[in-house]
Amino acid sequence: GNLTYPDGFILQGLVSNQSGYECLLIPGFLFMYLLTLLGNSVIVLLIYRDVRLSCSPMYFFLSHLSLADMGFSSTTVPKMLQNLLTHTKHISYRGCLTQMFFFLGFGNTESFLLASMAYDRFVAICHPLRYAVLMNAKHCLLLATGCWVLGFLHSLLYTLMMSFLSFCASGEIPHFFCDLHPLIKLSCSDTSAIQMTTLTEGT
């Protein structure tokens, strides 16, 4: 049967619970996750402790990119580690949509920040005499704010569209986190609108 609000989904993950590879995957992924958090935290702290770096547009955007990368990693890895440790693959309906919202939000924000960094380099190369005016602190702050707002508004659009769909009772997601496209495949509703949106926006 179909359920508009299912109890949850089953994340099939990277390996089956009986494979015996959990003892290798858990320390490996935990180490990479902690290394990601440590590396990005050091970048942010070094940039904001050095006035010369924090006043530079490129490093200003780099600090925001590091923050987005920490959020991006923290959206999926902790839940995956929990599932590997507890041998449970369940995620609630609300938890799944929340994970998808933040995954898309941080991912979109990273893309917008990279575009802002490319624009910064374009201005520095093509308009060097006007660089200080075009990329002043106010404009950089507006660009960074726009990246975060647009990134999460974009994510909110997809999350709201997904919340109106019905899902099949099996609810098995062939992934280790709730991604947009595997969820669309599980839907028992008409997904033409959201599929058209993904095609036109390239999500």
Side-chain angles (χ1 to χ4, degrees):
N2 299 343
L3 294 173
T4 305
Y5 295 102
D7 293 332
F9 300 98
I10 302 298
L11 297 170
Q12 292 182 355
L14 299 173
V15 293
S16 64
N17 286 338
Q18 292 78 27
S19 65
Y21 290 110
E22 296 93 337
C23 57
L24 298 175
L25 290 175
I26 292 171
F29 279 110
L30 180 61
F31 174 75
M32 288 187 290
Y33 175 59
L34 294 176
L35 192 63
T36 299
L37 293 182
L38 178 63
N40 284 299
S41 298
V42 169
I43 290 173
V44 173
L45 288 174
L46 287 177
I47 289 173
Y48 281 100
R49 282 179 64 88
D50 192 322
V51 178
R52 292 171 301 173
L53 293 180
S54 60
C55 292
S56 169
M58 178 55 72
Y59 287 102
F60 173 77
F61 289 123
L62 182 61
S63 66
H64 281 269
L65 189 66
S66 294
L67 290 172
D69 191 44
M70 283 192 286
F72 190 70
S73 303
S74 300
T75 302
T76 56
V77 178
K79 181 62 179 176
M80 181 189 65
L81 290 174
Q82 179 194 0
N83 290 347
L84 287 172
L85 280 169
T86 60
H87 299 285
T88 60
K89 298 186 175 184
H90 180 267
I91 186 170
S92 68
Y93 172 77
R94 288 187 177 88
C96 189
L97 287 186
T98 301
Q99 187 182 59
M100 188 189 75
F101 169 75
F102 284 106
F103 177 79
L104 292 176
F106 285 117
N108 292 329
T109 301
E110 282 192 354
S111 298
F112 286 125
L113 285 168
L114 288 171
S116 298
M117 294 172 79
Y119 174 72
D120 171 66
R121 293 299 87 195
F122 165 77
V123 174
I125 295 169
C126 297
H127 304 282
L129 299 179
R130 300 177 59 201
Y131 179 75
V133 176
L134 294 174
M135 298 301 295
N136 59 41
K138 181 181 178 181
H139 290 167
C140 289
L141 184 59
L142 285 173
L143 271 173
T145 303
C147 290
W148 286 97
V149 171
L150 287 174
F152 278 91
L153 282 178
H154 187 263
S155 175
L156 181 62
L157 168 67
Y158 284 103
T159 306
L160 289 175
M161 293 178 77
M162 290 297 297
S163 67
F164 289 108
L165 299 180
S166 299
F167 294 92
C168 298
S170 61
E172 292 188 3
I173 301 174
H175 219 320
F176 62 92
F177 68 96
C178 290
D179 198 6
L180 178 66
H181 297 288
L183 275 175
I184 291 175
K185 291 179 181 178
L186 286 182
S187 177
C188 302
S189 305
D190 179 17
T191 60
S192 56
I194 192 168
Q195 285 182 337
M196 183 59 68
T197 307
T198 59
L199 284 173
T200 55
E201 294 196 346
T203 298

